[in-house]
Amino acid sequence: MPMKIGEKPFFDRVDDALDDDFMRNAMASAQDRLRDKKLDITERDDQIGDWEEWRSAGAEIRRHTLENLDFYLDQLSENFAEKGGHVYFAKTAEDANRYIQDVAKKKNAKHVTKAKSMVTEEIGLNEALEEVGCHVHETDLAEYILQIDDKDRPSHIVVPSLHKNKGQIRDTFQEKAGYTGTEEPGELTAFARSQLREVFMEADIGITGCNFAVAESGSISLVTNEGNANMVTTYPDTQITVMGMERLVPTWEELDVLINLLSRSAVGQKITTYVTNLTPDVDEGCVDAPKDFHLVILDAGRSNALGTEFQSALHCIRCAACVNVCPVYRQIGGHAYGSIYQGPIGAVLSPILGGYEEYGELPFASSLCAACTEACPVKIPLHEQLIRHRENYVAEQGNAKTSEKMAMKAFGVGASTPSLFQIAVKGAPTFMKPLVRDGSISKGPGPMKPWTAIREFPAPGKDNFRSWFKEHKKGRK
Amino acid sequence: MKVSLFITCLGEMFYQDVAKDVVEVLERLGCEIDLPQGQICCGQPAYNSGYRKDAQKAAKQMITSFEDATYIVTPSGSCAAMFKEYPDLFKEDKEWQERAQAVADHTYEFTQFIVNVLGVEDVGAIYPARATYHTSCHMIRLLQETEAPFKLLKNVKGLELLPLENSYDCCGFGGTFAVKMVPISEQMVDEKIRHVEESTAEVLIAADGGCLMNIKGRIDRKEKPIEVKHIAQILNSRA
């Protein structure tokens, strides 16, 4: 499954991540920097006004769009087709890949350039295109780095190569692309640029993702900082845009709000260097427009969330604000999630798209601190959805360990039978006495074991609070 | 003022001294306290682990015990936040949902109650020490109480309150997260402790039993010379 990253089980991936000091330092400092820049431009910048009002507007736009998704998808596809574009609704990743393979075959394409394409990572499009003899060239700097480094995978939704430093990038360039320069970022970038110039010129097809599609005009909108998307969409005669079926807005007015929310939430920028809006205009004969423009609208599991408590997960605008504040992501990085969608939104989205069998552990990889919910610019209740996933996982899927189910059953009984609880409170000091050394428990049996693996467990207090309280009340009368 | 105290299962089982401090502070501020005998646990361990039905059992027990209360006060931001979750927990059951709502509406975390209901910011405490404060996640994000503890601590004589770097980051407790995801939780609590050390505080204060149990458990294991206190212990100090 292309969405998947790594073959190892979850805890092995976590161990690998925790052993990687460089990566962890990179994550922590990137989080601190991104979080601070975001706060600067949302809460401390008086130009934007009340950030909470912006969030409410964003949430309302996304809610309205998703509640009327069929209407806006119809509108988008009609308007796109009316101007000469081709629309294809792909039910699965395979459907999308097959359609794109067919276009490539018809064009006899040899070289494909790509930009802004998280969703094509999700469906494994590069491999599909290679199957039909295409050379696929990633043109966003970070994706380019990952591609030439033996197809390494993204570790962050917005900054895909966050887990690498400039020294590693220099080494990769030297080993894989004949680079002879230093690790100075300007020099590295100039090298990548010189390599990509040729590629842009010879591309037969340009492929992009889609930040938003505007239903009222049948346009797609891309926000970029490097401008490569403009090269990808301008040179070849054929363009294919792949979008998740939820990534649309009704009109340009809503686009304005969402782009403000996106760039500020993602990297703390007021606006990105480029906002590229593309509408097919085959009949107009515009010289630099693609003659053949395809829009692939992808379901691939998204409709699983429609009409359920997870519908608002589809509100996500892929800004990674939740990733940038998640204390778990901070420690384990992106690859440990085993999905190209990492962090809190990844833990919510991956099981929706890929199922519990593959991604059932992710909802538990959260302390439910709600930093994600607080950060989300379109107010997705992420931590609540993680709890909903846990409920589904243990109840419907029968996935939980029997011992845990028994423990929770016992909890249910214990927490609704006061007499039992009082027996436990009174009995605990005696019962646990053999384990107590110097006022705490260092090595606990059974369910206490994982706790005491790294921490002391408190010894139960010897006094009985209820008895004390009773006496205390008498004394006050 | 009549106050029904929800002392929490952790308070009753492990932290009786904190529980007594809570009672003494509230009484000094003129509250008449009762301790509903049916109370046990708010149900959060089951709820957050995905065992909704078992959480409902715990919640029903608590709702029944507390529904006649004028004010429900608890020395835990997290448990107070769970009470606020009850109406949603019973969204398919109108009758219980209404009863849950009544309980949720009357629930306050200890410092929140003192500052926002009693209108008191100086409880006359004296505690000479260099301290820092752990803003627990459920308190600041789910309960949205970011000010009350600071207002109270500011007026404690002798207490020097130091800023805590990345105070917004979770300590790695998260209920069952602490035992299900031990290696990740370990890194989170270690980072928290590192920031506490960097603050140069001698005492770490918080208003949540779970976080305190986690951070103190790790501090003790690593034999760090940092004291860990519940805010009620500070507010009930006289010298």
Side-chain angles (χ1 to χ4, degrees):
Chain A
M1 183 181 284
M3 194 169 98
K4 195 172 156 189
I5 291 180
E7 290 302 322
K8 289 183 177 178
F10 176 72
F11 279 101
D12 289 351
R13 296 196 303 263
V14 167
D15 285 344
D16 286 351
L18 294 180
D19 285 341
D20 188 345
D21 286 341
F22 168 75
M23 183 277 295
R24 293 181 55 211
N25 284 333
M27 293 299 153
S29 63
Q31 268 201 343
D32 291 344
R33 196 177 61 243
L34 289 167
R35 184 188 183 109
D36 206 48
K37 276 177 75 179
K38 183 199 167 190
L39 289 178
D40 262 344
I41 211 156
T42 55
E43 281 157 33
R44 298 173 199 143
D45 175 17
D46 49 13
Q47 280 182 5
I48 183 94
D50 185 348
W51 181 244
E52 285 307 308
E53 275 179 32
W54 280 88
R55 287 180 78 211
S56 299
E60 180 54 27
I61 290 168
R62 294 304 286 145
R63 190 192 58 75
H64 170 82
T65 308
L66 266 296
E67 280 179 3
N68 299 283
L69 189 62
D70 49 353
F71 173 82
Y72 288 118
L73 280 173
D74 276 350
Q75 197 186 17
L76 172 72
S77 61
E78 269 171 34
N79 287 331
F80 192 87
E82 199 173 276
K83 289 166 185 152
H86 308 282
V87 179
Y88 178 70
F89 281 90
K91 182 76 190 150
T92 63
E94 290 74 24
D95 289 344
N97 287 338
R98 203 176 310 117
Y99 178 83
I100 297 166
Q101 281 175 329
D102 286 346
V103 174
K105 280 193 265 186
K106 259 184 229 156
K107 301 281 165 190
N108 198 22
K110 292 280 168 283
H111 292 278
V112 173
T113 46
K114 283 179 64 202
K116 289 300 288 182
S117 54
M118 188 100 203
V119 72
T120 62
E121 289 271 358
E122 177 189 325
I123 62 176
L125 178 62
N126 289 14
E127 291 75 13
L129 282 169
E130 282 158 14
E131 271 174 32
V132 294
C134 290
H135 295 280
V136 183
H137 307 273
E138 295 290 350
T139 68
D140 294 318
L141 184 57
E143 291 285 353
Y144 169 79
I145 294 164
L146 295 179
Q147 188 181 35
I148 65 170
D149 193 7
D150 300 326
K151 300 183 182 175
D152 192 6
R153 306 298 304 275
S155 65
H156 185 279
I157 290 169
V158 178
V159 195
S161 60
L162 190 65
H163 56 291
K164 291 186 188 298
N165 70 0
K166 49 192 182 180
Q168 289 168 318
I169 295 167
R170 178 207 53 209
D171 294 347
T172 303
F173 281 12
Q174 283 178 349
E175 283 164 32
K176 317 282 181 188
Y179 177 65
T180 53
T182 70
E183 61 175 46
E184 198 270 311
E187 210 179 323
L188 288 167
T189 312
F191 173 77
R193 186 187 173 98
S194 70
Q195 299 280 303
L196 287 169
R197 284 286 139 157
E198 296 287 315
V199 167
F200 286 127
M201 304 292 285
E202 64 186 3
D204 304 302
I205 298 178
I207 297 182
T208 72
C210 168
N211 285 101
F212 300 103
V214 185
E216 73 168 348
S217 67
S219 309
I220 68 149
S221 183
L222 301 167
V223 262
T224 71
N225 272 322
E226 298 169 23
N228 296 340
N230 292 16
M231 310 284 251
V232 167
T233 57
T234 306
Y235 279 106
D237 280 344
T238 303
Q239 188 194 337
I240 303 170
T241 289
V242 189
M243 63 177 271
M245 66 185 217
E246 77 285 10
R247 303 300 295 273
L248 74 179
V249 289
T251 75
W252 294 95
E253 234 172 283
E254 290 87 19
L255 181 76
D256 178 17
V257 177
L258 292 182
I259 284 182
N260 264 290
L261 286 167
L262 174 62
S263 53
R264 282 166 203 264
S265 303
V267 283
Q269 281 179 278
K270 283 182 185 168
I271 191 83
T272 51
T273 315
Y274 301 89
V275 178
T276 307
N277 297 305
L278 297 155
T279 312
D281 55 357
V282 174
D283 297 336
E284 300 296 317
C286 178
V287 287
D288 59 357
K291 307 241 174 327
D292 195 19
F293 195 169
H294 299 259
L295 180 61
V296 178
I297 300 174
L298 182 74
D299 181 336
R302 285 161 175 76
S303 54
N304 296 342
L306 290 177
T308 74
E309 54 216 358
F310 297 110
Q311 179 161 307
S312 71
L314 300 180
H315 295 184
C316 175
I317 58 172
R318 305 288 190 270
C319 68
C322 62
V323 182
N324 294 341
V325 297
C326 177
V328 171
Y329 176 89
R330 183 183 183 85
Q331 304 298 341
I332 64 175
H335 286 171
Y337 287 83
S339 163
I340 60 151
Y341 300 115
Q342 321 82 10
I345 186 63
V348 169
L349 208 54
S350 305
I352 294 172
L353 302 179
Y356 288 119
E357 203 176 314
E358 200 72 64
Y359 299 108
E361 277 130 337
L362 295 188
F364 295 90
S366 163
S367 64
L368 303 177
C369 75
C372 48
T373 303
E374 182 184 59
C376 179
V378 291
K379 294 191 176 177
I380 304 170
L382 288 158
H383 75 282
E384 287 174 20
Q385 295 197 345
L386 290 172
I387 298 175
R388 300 288 94 79
H389 268 316
R390 293 177 186 194
E391 285 170 2
N392 289 351
Y393 183 82
V394 299
E396 290 167 25
Q397 309 293 319
N399 281 317
K401 284 188 205 155
T402 315
S403 59
E404 184 185 286
K405 281 188 198 160
M406 298 291 287
M408 286 302 171
K409 271 226 150 24
F411 173 87
V413 175
S416 55
T417 318
S419 55
L420 271 181
F421 179 63
Q422 282 311 306
I423 290 170
V425 169
K426 285 179 185 151
T430 316
F431 181 67
M432 291 193 189
K433 202 176 170 193
L435 304 167
V436 178
R437 300 262 180 288
D438 297 331
S440 66
I441 298 167
S442 299
K443 220 174 160 188
M448 279 161 74
K449 215 170 165 180
W451 179 278
T452 55
I454 64 158
R455 323 165 187 88
E456 298 293 299
F457 191 84
K462 289 188 188 71
D463 296 348
N464 185 278
F465 175 67
R466 292 192 193 200
S467 308
W468 174 87
F469 185 77
K470 221 164 143 187
E471 290 302 310
H472 174 79
K473 284 281 265 191
K474 264 193 221 158
R476 282 176 68 85
K477 271 177 191 163
Chain B
M1 193 173 290
K2 283 193 172 159
V3 167
S4 294
L5 182 63
F6 165 35
I7 202 60
T8 81
C9 55
L10 287 184
E12 209 168 331
M13 187 76 92
F14 301 106
Y15 303 119
Q16 293 96 342
D17 291 345
V18 174
K20 291 172 194 171
D21 287 324
V22 169
V23 171
E24 286 173 3
V25 171
L26 290 174
E27 281 178 347
R28 197 173 309 124
L29 297 173
C31 299
E32 191 191 321
I33 300 175
D34 85 297
L35 187 70
Q37 292 297 301
Q39 65 175 289
I40 302 179
C41 165
C42 66
Q44 195 167 169
Y47 178 69
N48 281 357
S49 305
Y51 294 81
R52 196 178 179 90
K53 287 212 172 82
D54 299 308
Q56 282 171 344
K57 281 185 200 154
K60 282 184 177 175
Q61 178 65 31
M62 293 306 254
I63 292 166
T64 314
S65 304
F66 281 98
E67 59 193 337
D68 296 330
T70 319
Y71 291 105
I72 301 159
V73 176
T74 181
S76 159
S78 185
C79 304
M82 186 64 213
F83 269 34
K84 304 275 184 194
E85 203 69 46
Y86 282 175
D88 196 54
L89 187 62
F90 292 105
K91 65 178 176 213
E92 286 97 19
D93 185 335
K94 262 261 162 303
E95 188 213 323
W96 275 101
Q97 188 175 38
E98 275 171 27
R99 294 171 69 178
Q101 190 66 54
V103 167
D105 289 345
H106 296 128
T107 298
Y108 297 86
E109 181 275 333
F110 173 63
T111 62
Q112 191 174 46
F113 178 75
I114 296 175
V115 174
N116 301 340
V117 179
L118 298 181
V120 174
E121 293 187 12
D122 187 346
V123 297
I126 306 168
Y127 195 92
R130 293 163 63 78
T132 193
Y133 182 77
H134 169 64
T135 53
S136 69
C137 305
H138 285 188
M139 181 100 153
I140 57 170
R141 301 209 182 90
L142 303 192
L143 215 54
Q144 302 206 315
E145 184 52 70
T146 54
E147 292 180 353
F150 290 101
K151 285 181 177 166
L152 291 166
L153 290 175
K154 204 178 76 187
N155 290 313
V156 173
K157 288 200 179 53
L159 190 79
E160 185 187 352
L161 200 61
L162 302 157
L164 184 62
E165 185 78 15
N166 286 17
S167 60
Y168 43 74
D169 268 339
C170 171
C171 70
F173 176 58
T176 48
F177 174 81
V179 292
K180 278 195 172 185
M181 299 279 159
V182 173
I184 307 174
S185 174
E186 177 183 9
Q187 298 305 320
M188 288 161 72
V189 69
D190 279 354
E191 184 167 355
K192 184 61 69 188
I193 293 169
R194 215 157 47 235
H195 289 312
V196 174
E197 285 181 307
E198 283 162 11
S199 79
T200 74
E202 309 149 342
V203 186
L204 174 69
I205 305 167
D208 238 303
C211 309
L212 289 175
M213 190 167 149
N214 180 45
I215 304 172
K216 181 171 165 48
R218 186 64 179 164
I219 282 177
D220 289 351
R221 174 62 58 89
K222 296 185 99 176
E223 299 180 352
K224 302 274 185 193
I226 301 165
E227 274 196 84
V228 178
K229 297 273 182 195
H230 189 279
I231 193 164
Q233 295 175 290
I234 307 295
L235 297 181
N236 199 32
S237 288
R238 281 294 170 274

